[in-house]
Amino acid sequence: MVTDGVYVYAILRAGTALPKGLGGVGSPPAPVRTIGQGPLDAVVSDAPPELRARRRDLLAHQELLMRLADEGPVLPMRFGMVAPDEKTVLEQLAAAESRHAAALEQLAGRFEINVKALPAQNALAALVAEEKDVRRLRDAARRRPGYEASIRLGEAVTTALTRRAAAAGRRMVRELTPGARAVAAGPTVPGCALNMSFLVDRGDTDTFLTRARAFADAHREHVELRLAGPLPCYSFVSSEARPVPVGGV
């Protein structure tokens, strides 16, 4: 059978059971299997032709990872990871065996919760009341309306909203970090003042999310928080996303 390579979902401890009744990406869903090298297994399937980020496939990838996490620690691969063949996957497992084993130990019984801090767009009244420069420019634009006055006011509002969101986001990290095992800075997201992920024990996820929502409610005039999780621990697998101290945020 000719395929377009091997689609890789995750790395896990050898012998971890695969969830029953759950397929992988593709239409129809590709049968999922494990291939092993020493103490590690990779969860793979045949890669479908012309793989694209369709909603069905994204959800299938995510659901499989979450179901795998119910069986033990998982090193998740991001959507679209395709190797040329099984031999390549096994060689990679062997080459990084000790690093993968250590990461699996760190992630056992834990999930990722991602928090993005965005400017609070629905709090302009509070912004004008609290920001002297914005209030001055608003008053000037009212006295002498015009294109340049509107531009200056718009720029001041955008700058102030972003600054306030970033400050609230840093405070959020300080307050939530004691409830996490590790914190990792995420990539820059357009329109987002801060993007952070927290590694949280399985039993603590509800408490963590409750605290995050309470913070969001208490600071809604400064920041809009968008929470995602529990998630597979994407941000704590790659060496490019090392845990960072709160002071470095």
Side-chain angles (χ1 to χ4, degrees):
M1 177 180 178
V2 178
T3 69
D4 290 289
V6 176
Y7 188 99
V8 186
Y9 299 88
I11 298 169
L12 34 73
R13 291 169 177 166
T16 302
L18 289 180
K20 295 181 179 179
L22 202 62
V25 298
S27 182
V32 177
R33 62 187 184 274
T34 58
I35 56 176
Q37 174 65 44
L40 302 174
D41 280 349
V43 181
V44 304
S45 70
D46 291 339
E50 300 180 359
L51 177 68
R52 295 193 296 274
R54 300 180 180 89
R55 175 177 170 79
R56 196 219 73 83
D57 287 334
L58 291 168
L59 291 176
H61 181 100
Q62 183 88 336
E63 184 176 1
L64 177 58
L65 292 177
M66 293 301 292
R67 290 278 297 276
L68 287 169
D70 290 335
E71 304 296 332
V74 174
L75 302 187
M77 300 295 108
R78 295 193 181 274
F79 179 86
M81 180 69 69
V82 177
D85 48 42
E86 289 190 1
K87 180 174 180 290
T88 301
V89 178
L90 294 173
E91 289 174 347
Q92 196 280 332
L93 289 180
E97 179 180 304
S98 60
R99 179 164 58 87
H100 289 330
L104 284 167
E105 185 68 26
Q106 180 197 19
L107 300 181
R110 293 165 184 163
F111 287 110
E112 175 173 337
I113 295 176
N114 177 258
V115 185
K116 292 181 175 65
L118 291 86
Q121 300 293 340
N122 295 324
L124 292 179
L127 177 71
V128 172
E130 297 173 13
E131 297 286 335
K132 180 176 62 177
D133 289 342
V134 172
R135 191 164 58 251
R136 176 178 55 80
L137 289 169
R138 182 207 59 180
D139 293 343
R142 285 178 173 177
R143 288 193 303 269
R144 293 188 177 181
Y147 177 77
E148 291 186 3
S150 296
I151 290 295
R152 286 194 295 271
L153 177 58
E155 290 175 345
V157 166
T158 298
T159 299
L161 286 172
T162 301
R163 172 172 47 77
R164 286 156 66 94
R170 290 191 293 270
R171 182 175 176 183
M172 173 271 298
V173 174
R174 290 194 296 271
E175 291 196 12
L176 296 184
T177 292
R181 293 290 183 171
V183 182
T188 299
V189 176
C192 182
L194 193 69
N195 178 19
M196 300 296 295
S197 287
F198 299 82
L199 185 64
V200 181
D201 287 343
R202 179 192 296 267
D204 294 337
T205 54
D206 287 345
T207 299
F208 185 95
L209 288 168
T210 297
R211 291 181 60 196
R213 293 183 184 114
F215 182 95
D217 185 61
H219 298 82
R220 60 183 178 275
E221 293 185 344
H222 288 78
V223 67
E224 176 189 340
L225 294 187
R226 293 185 184 173
L227 309 177
L231 299 169
C233 303
Y234 295 112
S235 300
F236 301 92
V237 173
S238 171
S239 59
E240 297 176 358
R242 299 178 185 276
V244 297
V246 176
V249 176

